[in-house]
Amino acid sequence: MRSRSREPLLWLLFSAGGVLAALLVPVLLFLLGLAFPLKWITPSRHHLLAVVSNPLVQIALFIVCLLVLFHAAHRLRHVVADMFGIRQFDGAISVCCYGAALVGSGIAAFLIWSVP
Amino acid sequence: MTGPPTSTRPRHYRPPVSAAWWLRKPSYLAFVLRELSSVFVAWTVVVLLLYVRAVSEGDAEYRRLLHLLANPWLVALDLVALAFAVYHSVTWFSLSAQVMVLRLRGKQVPRAAFTLGGYVAWAVASALVAWLLVAG
């Protein structure tokens, strides 16, 4: 029996993460990276805390972090292998990339669900 | 097709490829930059989580984070990240349009419809997030 490649499943996760990244990352970078720190818009910490305490927001936030991190890991794994011509080290590269995504997701879960 | 050579599968000739292959043509560079946009996408998750942490720690922590992110170097980084993020979005919508094949009432939906749909979804999602964080 031929073993089934995991690539289609990985591609699906990559794809989901890519859609979320395409839709959400620009607005998040604009607000969190520019508008809020540079005081163009000044939401109160209280309001942001209320948002991030909402259980639905927490679940959505976790899913976004997980899939987006996975998307980045998958893409980086392939581009690093191709850029430097080190496809023979795909195993080690994969462990580093997906491992980092897993660790990041774990940290995300911890931070999100330790919000008071 | 891949794997070590066997009696039934020959060793394939692989011409040596220069390490700077991706600098050879603009389209190669554009491809590599598109893929590397994922670094900045991951950075956004980091920023997001920094906010989650700071917001739950208290006023002092929140102010400290805003002060840190207002540093010119980080602002520059976030501007670059934003450019790469937009590049990801734009290329993503046109790419998805190329892989989506949908037939409605016997006619294939044109690619432009998917690209436009992507942009509409992008605008709606952005408005929702902005509303949630600023007003909601």
Side-chain angles (χ1 to χ4, degrees):
Chain A
M1 176 86 113
R2 204 160 50 105
S3 71
R4 294 168 90 206
S5 165
R6 268 167 291 178
E7 196 66 24
L9 175 64
L10 295 176
W11 186 87
L12 195 65
L13 291 172
F14 154 79
S15 201
V19 168
L20 289 174
L23 295 176
L24 301 174
V25 166
V27 70
L28 285 174
L29 270 175
F30 173 73
L31 291 175
L32 304 180
L34 298 172
F36 293 175
L38 298 176
K39 309 262 193 274
W40 301 339
I41 306 173
T42 49
S44 71
R45 181 189 75 91
H46 187 78
H47 168 71
L48 292 178
L49 183 61
V51 168
V52 90
S53 304
N54 181 305
L56 287 175
V57 169
Q58 287 176 338
I59 292 172
L61 196 56
F62 175 69
I63 291 174
V64 166
C65 289
L66 178 76
L67 289 173
V68 167
L69 283 176
F70 187 85
H71 164 87
H74 188 76
R75 223 168 190 180
L76 273 170
R77 166 201 171 192
H78 283 296
V79 79
V80 160
D82 286 334
M83 267 177 84
F84 303 113
I86 47 173
R87 203 154 265 285
Q88 62 267 32
F89 300 118
D90 185 47
I93 297 169
S94 294
V95 166
C96 291
C97 290
Y98 298 130
L102 211 65
V103 167
S105 303
I107 294 172
F110 172 71
L111 287 175
I112 291 167
W113 279 292
S114 56
V115 169
Chain B
M1 281 296 285
T2 56
T6 66
S7 56
T8 52
R9 192 174 54 220
R11 184 198 302 272
H12 287 109
Y13 171 65
R14 289 215 178 91
V17 177
S18 150
W21 66 268
W22 45 277
L23 290 169
R24 284 265 150 83
K25 272 197 201 180
S27 59
Y28 293 168
L29 181 62
F31 162 73
V32 164
L33 288 177
R34 187 192 79 201
E35 300 302 293
L36 289 179
S37 71
S38 53
V39 171
F40 298 100
V41 165
W43 162 245
T44 307
V45 174
V46 171
V47 171
L48 192 53
L49 292 176
L50 284 175
Y51 266 88
V52 170
R53 187 184 149 276
V55 157
S56 52
E57 295 269 302
D59 281 328
E61 267 304 313
Y62 180 56
R63 258 179 279 127
R64 204 173 296 148
L65 177 66
L66 289 180
H67 183 75
L68 171 74
L69 291 171
N71 179 297
W73 288 106
L74 277 163
V75 171
L77 172 64
D78 286 329
L79 278 168
V80 169
L82 183 58
F84 271 97
V86 169
Y87 187 45
H88 164 79
S89 299
V90 165
T91 54
W92 190 266
F93 297 135
S94 63
L95 276 171
S96 330
Q98 287 178 42
V99 301
M100 300 280 257
V101 178
L102 184 67
R103 301 187 84 87
L104 278 179
R105 287 189 287 250
K107 283 214 282 206
Q108 187 166 335
V109 176
R111 278 188 201 156
F114 285 111
T115 313
L116 185 66
Y119 281 99
V120 169
W122 188 14
V124 169
S126 300
L128 276 170
V129 168
W131 174 82
L132 186 69
L133 292 183
V134 176

